[in-house]
Coordinates of all heavy atoms in Angstrom, one line a residue:
C112 N 13.2 19.6 -14.7 CA 14.1 18.6 -14.3 C 13.6 17.8 -13.0 O 13.7 16.6 -12.9 CB 15.5 19.2 -14.0 SG 16.3 19.8 -15.5
S113 N 13.1 18.6 -12.1 CA 12.5 18.0 -10.9 C 11.4 17.0 -11.2 O 11.3 15.9 -10.6 CB 12.0 19.0 -9.9 OG 13.1 19.8 -9.5
A114 N 10.5 17.4 -12.1 CA 9.4 16.6 -12.5 C 9.9 15.3 -13.1 O 9.4 14.2 -12.8 CB 8.5 17.3 -13.5
V115 N 10.9 15.4 -14.0 CA 11.5 14.2 -14.6 C 12.1 13.2 -13.5 O 11.9 12.0 -13.6 CB 12.5 14.5 -15.7 CG1 13.3 13.3 -16.2 CG2 11.9 15.2 -16.8
V116 N 12.8 13.8 -12.6 CA 13.3 12.9 -11.5 C 12.2 12.3 -10.7 O 12.3 11.1 -10.4 CB 14.2 13.8 -10.5 CG1 14.6 13.0 -9.3 CG2 15.5 14.2 -11.3
M117 N 11.1 13.0 -10.4 CA 10.0 12.4 -9.7 C 9.4 11.3 -10.5 O 9.0 10.2 -10.0 CB 8.9 13.5 -9.4 CG 9.4 14.4 -8.3 SD 8.0 15.6 -7.9 CE 8.9 17.1 -8.0
W118 N 9.2 11.5 -11.8 CA 8.6 10.5 -12.6 C 9.5 9.3 -12.8 O 9.1 8.1 -12.8 CB 8.3 11.0 -14.0 CG 7.1 11.9 -14.0 CD1 6.0 11.9 -13.1 CD2 6.8 13.0 -14.9 NE1 5.1 12.9 -13.4 CE2 5.6 13.6 -14.5 CE3 7.5 13.6 -15.9 CZ2 5.0 14.7 -15.1 CZ3 6.9 14.6 -16.6 CH2 5.7 15.2 -16.2
A119 N 10.8 9.5 -12.8 CA 11.8 8.4 -12.8 C 11.7 7.5 -11.5 O 11.6 6.3 -11.6 CB 13.2 8.9 -13.0
A120 N 11.6 8.2 -10.4 CA 11.4 7.5 -9.1 C 10.0 6.8 -9.1 O 10.0 5.6 -8.6 CB 11.5 8.5 -7.9
A121 N 9.0 7.4 -9.6 CA 7.7 6.7 -9.7 C 7.8 5.5 -10.6 O 7.2 4.5 -10.3 CB 6.6 7.7 -10.2
G122 N 8.5 5.6 -11.7 CA 8.7 4.5 -12.6 C 9.4 3.4 -11.9 O 9.0 2.2 -12.1
Y123 N 10.4 3.7 -11.1 CA 11.1 2.6 -10.3 C 10.1 2.0 -9.3 O 10.1 0.7 -9.2 CB 12.3 3.3 -9.6 CG 13.0 2.3 -8.7 CD1 13.8 1.3 -9.2 CD2 12.9 2.4 -7.3 CE1 14.5 0.4 -8.4 CE2 13.6 1.5 -6.5 CZ 14.3 0.5 -7.0 OH 15.0 -0.3 -6.2
F124 N 9.4 2.8 -8.6 CA 8.4 2.2 -7.7 C 7.4 1.4 -8.4 O 7.0 0.3 -8.0 CB 7.6 3.3 -6.9 CG 8.4 3.9 -5.7 CD1 7.9 5.1 -5.1 CD2 9.5 3.3 -5.2 CE1 8.6 5.6 -4.1 CE2 10.2 3.8 -4.2 CZ 9.7 5.0 -3.5
G125 N 6.9 1.9 -9.6 CA 5.9 1.1 -10.4 C 6.5 -0.2 -10.8 O 5.8 -1.2 -10.8
A126 N 7.8 -0.2 -11.3 CA 8.4 -1.4 -11.7 C 8.5 -2.4 -10.6 O 8.2 -3.6 -10.8 CB 9.8 -1.1 -12.3
L127 N 8.8 -2.0 -9.4 CA 8.9 -2.9 -8.2 C 7.5 -3.3 -7.8 O 7.3 -4.5 -7.5 CB 9.5 -2.1 -7.0 CG 11.0 -1.8 -7.1 CD1 11.4 -1.0 -5.9 CD2 11.8 -3.1 -7.2
L128 N 6.5 -2.5 -7.9 CA 5.2 -2.8 -7.5 C 4.5 -3.8 -8.4 O 3.9 -4.7 -8.0 CB 4.4 -1.5 -7.5 CG 3.0 -1.5 -6.9 CD1 3.0 -1.9 -5.4 CD2 2.3 -0.2 -7.1
F129 N 4.7 -3.6 -9.7 CA 4.0 -4.4 -10.7 C 4.8 -5.6 -11.1 O 4.2 -6.5 -11.8 CB 3.6 -3.6 -11.9 CG 2.6 -2.5 -11.5 CD1 2.9 -1.1 -11.7 CD2 1.3 -2.8 -11.0 CE1 2.0 -0.1 -11.3 CE2 0.4 -1.8 -10.7 CZ 0.8 -0.4 -10.8
S130 N 6.0 -5.7 -10.7 CA 6.8 -6.9 -11.1 C 6.5 -8.1 -10.1 O 6.8 -9.2 -10.5 CB 8.3 -6.6 -11.1 OG 8.8 -6.4 -9.7
N131 N 5.9 -7.8 -9.0 CA 5.7 -8.9 -8.0 C 4.3 -9.5 -8.2 O 3.3 -9.1 -8.4 CB 5.8 -8.4 -6.6 CG 7.3 -8.1 -6.3 OD1 8.2 -8.7 -6.9 ND2 7.5 -7.2 -5.4

Side-chain angles (χ1 to χ4, degrees):
C112 292
S113 296
V115 170
V116 169
M117 287 182 232
W118 287 333
Y123 176 72
F124 279 168
L127 290 176
L128 186 65
F129 297 116
S130 68
N131 293 330

